[in-house]
Amino acid sequence: MPKWDYRKIEYDTIDKERIAPNDFLFKVVAIASFIEITSDLYERNLVEFYAGDEAIVGWLESTWEPEEIQHGKALRRYVERVWPDFDWESAYADFREEYGALCTLDEFQPTRAKEMLARMVVETGTSTLYRAMHDYAESIDEPILAEIAHNIHKDEVYHYEQFDKGFEKYNREEELSRAEITKVIYARLKMANDEDIAIAHKYIAPDEDFEAFRLKTREFAKKYYPYKMAVKMLMHPLHLHRHIENATASSVQKALQIMGI
């Protein structure tokens, strides 16, 4: 059951005349709404992958999916309030048809511990994205988007923590080495770098070159992305000594920046 209700957010108080010209914000929020509301496909695959684990499957069905779907609904309502001329329903249908074909178990990691690691990488990406979105919204004095992003950020951090517990549970059996853990994290970072965003962008802004949008997101990230938070979350599964973690953190941050994250 979601911890907050997007229907109680005061969308009618948005100063849409001031916000609507912000084309970059439109694309960011619309893309996020597409990806979040497609979580039912991810949930279906995760439930199949972890079949037999009643605790994890139960949590995915009763908590994770409803919260993720609510994120998409909250962002969709924001888009439809601020940019009413955008045909969200039609664009999303095209996105879902193309991207849904890629959401298969073939993209999963080969073991349950490794897939939990991959989920932690995904939740790192989402929780830090919404932290950045919140800070950006505050910088442009947009309290409604700041509220939505804050709520989603908290949910995503909680999801990360739950997948972390799942990883620790399965890793007691698999006993992955740090090298194996690092390999999974890097592989999932590469996979998450653009695929879903690129497909969403194609249907949201068909006349704009995706590389141009990527350049804008990099500029956005330089100013608002919480790199220290991302590094800490990504390195957590390695259980490094604090001094080693601190020494390694700057290199990891540079790697994220090089990858365009």
Side-chain angles (χ1 to χ4, degrees):
M1 193 74 177
K3 305 173 186 65
W4 53 282
D5 188 343
Y6 81 99
R7 293 167 297 183
K8 295 181 179 179
I9 293 172
E10 297 180 349
Y11 291 91
D12 290 341
T13 66
I14 300 171
D15 184 356
K16 74 174 191 176
E17 284 71 25
R18 184 172 63 85
I19 303 300
N22 191 329
D23 188 60
F24 175 72
L25 182 62
F26 160 68
K27 294 183 181 71
V28 170
V29 178
I31 288 170
S33 73
F34 278 19
I35 295 170
E36 293 282 1
I37 216 163
T38 309
S39 295
D40 61 312
L41 299 182
Y42 310 141
E43 186 265 353
R44 179 192 65 195
N45 289 336
L46 285 167
V47 165
E48 181 177 346
F49 193 76
Y50 290 100
D53 189 325
E54 294 182 5
I56 288 176
V57 169
W59 176 76
L60 289 167
E61 293 177 333
S62 67
T63 303
W64 184 80
E65 182 188 13
E67 290 185 347
E68 294 288 344
I69 295 296
Q70 173 167 254
H71 300 167
K73 289 180 177 179
L75 295 166
R76 173 183 178 174
R77 183 167 290 188
Y78 189 91
V79 170
E80 292 179 331
R81 169 64 183 167
V82 180
W83 299 279
D85 292 337
F86 175 64
D87 188 348
W88 192 98
E89 190 74 42
S90 176
Y92 174 70
D94 291 336
F95 163 79
R96 186 179 176 95
E97 180 178 2
E98 179 173 348
Y99 187 63
L102 303 178
C103 292
T104 68
L105 287 171
D106 292 338
E107 292 201 343
F108 275 40
Q109 291 291 324
T111 73
R112 288 187 168 188
K114 288 183 177 181
E115 182 55 31
M116 282 290 172
L117 266 178
R119 292 294 104 196
M120 291 171 69
V121 173
V122 173
E123 299 295 351
T124 296
T126 54
S127 60
T128 51
L129 165 65
Y130 291 110
R131 173 70 176 274
M133 187 183 292
H134 167 268
D135 291 353
Y136 176 69
E138 287 202 329
S139 77
I140 61 171
D141 192 24
E142 210 313 76
I144 299 303
L145 183 59
E147 177 185 356
I148 294 168
H150 175 69
N151 288 339
I152 297 176
H153 164 73
K154 289 196 300 183
D155 285 348
E156 302 291 13
V157 170
Y158 162 67
H159 297 167
Y160 170 94
E161 292 169 349
Q162 295 304 115
F163 285 122
D164 180 32
K165 290 179 181 177
F167 165 68
E168 295 294 342
K169 171 184 176 179
Y170 282 110
N171 201 39
R172 283 194 287 271
E173 303 170 9
E174 297 181 27
E175 297 183 336
L176 300 178
S177 68
R178 284 174 175 161
E180 290 174 304
I181 291 171
T182 301
K183 184 177 180 180
V184 172
I185 292 171
Y186 181 72
R188 195 61 185 82
L189 279 172
K190 287 180 63 180
M191 184 185 300
N193 200 18
D194 274 339
E195 185 179 56
D196 49 359
I197 298 173
I199 296 172
H201 183 273
K202 178 167 66 174
Y203 296 110
I204 289 166
D207 298 326
E208 181 182 325
D209 179 63
F210 181 60
E211 284 304 311
F213 175 73
R214 283 193 65 190
L215 289 174
K216 292 178 182 177
T217 59
R218 287 184 178 183
E219 290 302 312
F220 169 83
K222 286 178 184 178
K223 191 168 184 180
Y224 299 101
Y225 190 75
Y227 282 103
K228 288 184 179 178
M229 175 185 173
V231 169
K232 184 175 181 179
M233 294 173 76
L234 290 172
M235 295 180 68
H236 170 72
L238 295 169
H239 296 300
L240 298 174
H241 187 278
R242 182 168 56 86
H243 295 303
I244 298 175
E245 181 176 317
N246 291 338
T248 309
S250 61
S251 298
V252 176
Q253 179 169 327
K254 289 177 182 178
L256 291 176
Q257 292 170 326
I258 290 171
M259 293 174 71
I261 297 172

